[in-house]
Amino acid sequence: MWCGSPGGGGDPFLIGRFDLAWCGGRPKLIEYNADTPATLPESTRMQDLWHQQCGGSHDHAPLEARALVERLAGLRRAGRIGHMVHIVPYPDNLEDTTHAVYYREWAEQAGLEAVHCELRDLEVTKDGQLLHRGRIVRSMIRMYPWELMFRDSGVRHLRECGCTFLNPPWTTLLSNKALLPALWRRYPGHPNLLAAGYAPEDLRRGRGGKAGAPYVEKPIHARGGENVRIIAGGRTVCAEGGTYGAYPKIFQEFADHRIDGVTASVGAWIVGERFAGLTMRESADPIVRHTSPIVPHLVRDAPGRLARWRGVLGKRF
């Protein structure tokens, strides 16, 4: 249960979100939230409500709740998860508690028995299995990040506990922003990548930035824009505080993706191995934070444009 691969027979993948900048008519990868992507309520039900209230003829591409339900049902039919799934939010976090409510609803629609489980209520049996109120935990949707779980003393039990985690342990490699320099080193100049490295000088490789060009400093595990700095001409022009400052940093080419003076990022959802919808987020300055509003979106020429999105996200770097 410990190892797995996205396309193989290892632990199954549920959901992730690519965060993209739209620059010069093409998407550029800002980062990939492969472990515990948030904004599920805003990206599903709220998007649909917005568009129902707008009326008229238009197309949009919200995150498809149906795709999540079908993915969970398919994993159950294939015997890759059990009939009961425990849903574990981040402790004392209202946003993740809300996510747990949605996950529970989708799991029940998929024909599963869904159990809301607080992290503090989990125990470990003498055989190393996870236990919740007398029940062995065989399948789990969790919102507690892998990088925190790996630092916990209980991590020694995860290898042999027999639980299938959604998302699985290998997603911590893809959620780590060290992925960005690794991709740039392997595919310098790729049209969907921004130059990235472990020092500002690394950004000039391939088709990267020129000396003195603005760049972004990010901790490898930051979420919600925390501890991000934008630097231009040797000085910080925009920064966000946070709790991730002690982590190692990576540096990434700055992407100016303002539209009418507003920075707009595109969240492209993956459920299983398929594109499953879009989320648009806006910020008044260049840093997109967890407090930045999610806004409704329209997709003109929806069949053609969404086919191109699927084509971009379907390619492996």
Side-chain angles (χ1 to χ4, degrees), residues 9 14 19 26 31 52 105 122 155 180 196 203 210 220 227 230 266-267 275 281:
L14 181 59
D19 287 340
R26 69 171 69 244
E31 59 195 49
Q52 289 170 15
E105 180 179 316
L122 284 172
V155 71
L180 302 171
L203 308 188
K210 299 177 182 178
I220 61 172
N227 297 105
I230 298 174
V266 182
F275 169 71
R281 201 161 204 167

Side-chain angles (χ1 to χ4, degrees), residues 185-316:
R185 185 177 295 118
R186 186 165 185 178
Y187 302 103
H190 192 287
N192 297 120
L193 293 176
L194 295 165
Y198 292 100
E201 295 76 23
D202 296 339
L203 308 188
R204 294 194 287 273
R205 296 178 183 173
R207 203 176 61 186
K210 299 177 182 178
Y215 60 89
V216 184
E217 177 190 272
K218 301 178 177 181
I220 61 172
H221 286 306
R223 286 174 166 80
E226 288 192 34
N227 297 105
V228 168
R229 289 200 305 152
I230 298 174
I231 300 164
R235 67 184 186 90
T236 299
V237 296
C238 191
E240 178 71 6
T243 59
Y244 297 91
Y247 282 108
K249 308 294 192 298
I250 65 103
F251 299 85
Q252 186 180 49
E253 174 188 358
F254 173 68
D256 186 352
H257 46 117
R258 288 174 294 177
I259 300 174
D260 296 331
V262 175
T263 298
S265 70
V266 182
W269 292 94
I270 299 291
V271 172
E273 296 182 355
R274 296 180 180 275
F275 169 71
L278 300 173
T279 293
M280 303 296 295
R281 201 161 204 167
E282 293 183 350
S283 175
D285 65 27
I287 297 177
V288 178
R289 303 163 176 81
H290 73 279
T291 54
S292 298
I294 292 176
V295 296
H297 63 271
L298 303 179
V299 181
R300 294 189 174 92
D301 181 28
R305 290 183 181 272
L306 294 180
R308 287 195 288 275
W309 276 103
R310 291 184 176 94
V312 169
L313 296 176
K315 295 177 181 176
R316 296 186 184 276

Side-chain angles (χ1 to χ4, degrees), residues 102-278:
Y102 276 70
Y103 274 126
R104 181 172 184 170
E105 180 179 316
W106 294 326
E108 290 174 344
Q109 290 175 16
L112 304 173
E113 182 181 350
V115 179
H116 183 108
C117 172
E118 295 296 336
L119 190 64
R120 59 180 170 267
D121 293 332
L122 284 172
E123 300 176 271
V124 180
T125 70
K126 64 180 181 179
D127 298 322
Q129 295 175 309
L130 298 180
L131 190 69
H132 177 250
R133 296 180 178 175
R135 291 175 165 178
I136 299 295
V137 180
R138 302 293 187 189
S139 304
M140 181 190 295
I141 297 174
R142 40 120 231 128
M143 285 143 270
Y144 192 64
W146 279 114
E147 70 265 18
L148 298 184
M149 291 176 71
F150 290 156
R151 295 191 301 178
D152 192 277
S153 61
V155 71
R156 66 187 185 278
H157 299 293
L158 293 180
R159 182 189 294 271
E160 305 297 338
C161 71
C163 180
T164 297
F165 296 95
L166 299 172
N167 283 333
W170 55 258
T171 57
T172 193
L173 298 175
L174 303 183
S175 269
N176 190 319
K177 292 177 183 59
L179 173 70
L180 302 171
L183 286 173
W184 185 251
R185 185 177 295 118
R186 186 165 185 178
Y187 302 103
H190 192 287
N192 297 120
L193 293 176
L194 295 165
Y198 292 100
E201 295 76 23
D202 296 339
L203 308 188
R204 294 194 287 273
R205 296 178 183 173
R207 203 176 61 186
K210 299 177 182 178
Y215 60 89
V216 184
E217 177 190 272
K218 301 178 177 181
I220 61 172
H221 286 306
R223 286 174 166 80
E226 288 192 34
N227 297 105
V228 168
R229 289 200 305 152
I230 298 174
I231 300 164
R235 67 184 186 90
T236 299
V237 296
C238 191
E240 178 71 6
T243 59
Y244 297 91
Y247 282 108
K249 308 294 192 298
I250 65 103
F251 299 85
Q252 186 180 49
E253 174 188 358
F254 173 68
D256 186 352
H257 46 117
R258 288 174 294 177
I259 300 174
D260 296 331
V262 175
T263 298
S265 70
V266 182
W269 292 94
I270 299 291
V271 172
E273 296 182 355
R274 296 180 180 275
F275 169 71
L278 300 173

